[in-house]
Amino acid sequence: MRYDKRADLYFAKGERYDPKLGKNVTDYVVLQLNVPCAHMPMSIEKVKTTFGEVDRDINIVHFNEKVPAFTHLTIKGKSYKVQKLVPHRRSVAYVEEVSPWN
């Protein structure tokens, strides 16, 4: 497996009200930058067995080392939200693409 992509890991610290914007804003903490990873789409059969739905666009991100718990990540400018994190010796994250937050 080629770890040819780089991911930036973020953790959602909490939500607060911003009076200037007039809405709730989520604060993110950068955990690690430039973590090597392998990014690939998940098959429809595996999405069905893992999440119970077929219409979700889930991707798999493999890391070559154990990474800390995180809630969001970016790869090549695209933002993803973690749906499931498997923290073993080499961590695996199941992620879903979301609109950019920063």
Side-chain angles (χ1 to χ4, degrees):
M1 185 176 304
R2 293 183 57 199
Y3 298 98
D4 57 345
K5 296 186 175 61
R6 299 288 182 251
D8 298 333
L9 308 179
Y10 299 91
F11 182 75
K13 188 167 71 169
E15 201 170 86
R16 63 177 172 80
Y17 181 75
D18 188 358
K20 291 181 183 176
L21 296 175
K23 62 179 182 177
N24 289 336
V25 179
T26 305
D27 295 324
Y28 295 95
V29 176
V30 177
L31 294 177
Q32 287 183 346
L33 296 175
N34 259 351
V35 179
C37 66
H39 176 248
M40 63 197 75
M42 191 177 201
S43 70
I44 294 173
E45 293 83 19
K46 192 162 183 179
V47 171
K48 174 72 173 163
T49 58
T50 307
F51 296 100
E53 301 173 25
V54 180
D55 58 347
R56 295 178 73 176
D57 186 23
I58 304 288
N59 296 301
I60 303 173
V61 180
H62 292 272
F63 298 96
N64 65 351
E65 59 187 31
K66 188 171 182 176
V67 294
F70 60 97
T71 57
H72 294 77
L73 74 144
T74 57
I75 299 173
K76 288 189 175 181
K78 291 187 178 181
S79 303
Y80 297 93
K81 182 175 181 181
V82 176
Q83 300 300 319
K84 184 177 179 182
L85 180 65
V86 183
H88 291 297
R89 186 171 56 99
R90 295 182 180 207
S91 298
V92 176
Y94 297 99
V95 297
E96 191 168 19
E97 190 171 351
V98 294
S99 60
W101 64 85
N102 48 352

